[in-house]
Amino acid sequence: MHLIQISLLMIFPALAIVAALKDVTSYTIPNWISLALIAAFFPTALVSGATWPAIGLCLAIGVGGLLLGMGMFAAGWIGGGDAKLFAASALWIGWPAAVPFMLATGLAGGALTFGILALRSGWLEPVLAGSPAWLRKLGAQGGDIPYGVAIAAGALATFPQGALASAILG
């Protein structure tokens, strides 16, 4: 049973990494990633032994994450895929790790922004000339910030403290 629990638990970090890689290379996070995270949450929660109130609290945190993500999307701060990834991640993280998740995501977003600003500063232009197309696009002036990378980093940093991981890993 423990092997099944661990296998289901590893779905979250695997999909968070895929989302970050997709976002950094294409500035999109496919809907299937967020949908797969939501779908995988329920069997993982059930095999983790989470109580119905704990599952309900995770759902409430996920809905709160969706509302917050929608607000950030409406303000133009993040893309739609980022908002959906944020909500799906919040569902998995649950309580009490929701606040550290938001803080870690914000810090990762700041570091990502500074890194991309350095990349776009012009002093790395000779290096970017021979780089892959996605990296040249990332270094292009006036481009977007792939915030899914920051969301994935924040989620991965706080995942061990999350409701499901702590239930399974102890």
Side-chain angles (χ1 to χ4, degrees):
M1 181 63 144
H2 194 65
L3 182 60
I4 294 170
Q5 291 173 325
I6 296 294
S7 297
L8 285 170
L9 194 62
M10 290 301 102
I11 291 171
F12 179 78
L15 288 176
I17 291 167
V18 169
L21 290 172
K22 287 293 289 177
D23 201 23
V24 79
T25 57
S26 68
Y27 288 99
T28 59
I29 301 172
N31 287 335
W32 70 263
I33 294 174
S34 297
L35 291 172
L37 284 170
I38 293 166
F41 169 80
F42 293 101
T44 306
L46 292 175
V47 301
S48 75
T51 64
W52 287 109
I55 293 171
L57 187 55
C58 285
L59 288 169
I61 297 292
V63 168
L66 181 61
L67 293 174
L68 184 59
M70 288 169 51
M72 290 187 291
F73 173 73
W77 298 341
I78 63 174
D82 300 326
K84 291 177 264 187
L85 178 63
F86 186 79
S89 296
L91 171 70
W92 275 77
I93 299 295
W95 189 260
V99 173
F101 165 58
M102 289 187 291
L103 291 173
T105 299
L107 289 172
L112 175 68
T113 301
F114 281 125
I116 290 178
L117 287 174
L119 185 66
R120 294 176 180 168
S121 68
W123 60 275
L124 288 175
E125 205 168 296
V127 176
L128 288 176
S131 63
W134 67 268
L135 189 55
R136 288 193 309 272
K137 184 176 180 183
L138 193 61
Q141 295 295 329
D144 291 331
I145 303 291
Y147 207 77
V149 174
I151 294 167
L156 292 172
T158 55
F159 180 61
Q161 305 164 8
L164 296 183
S166 61
I168 291 174
L169 302 176

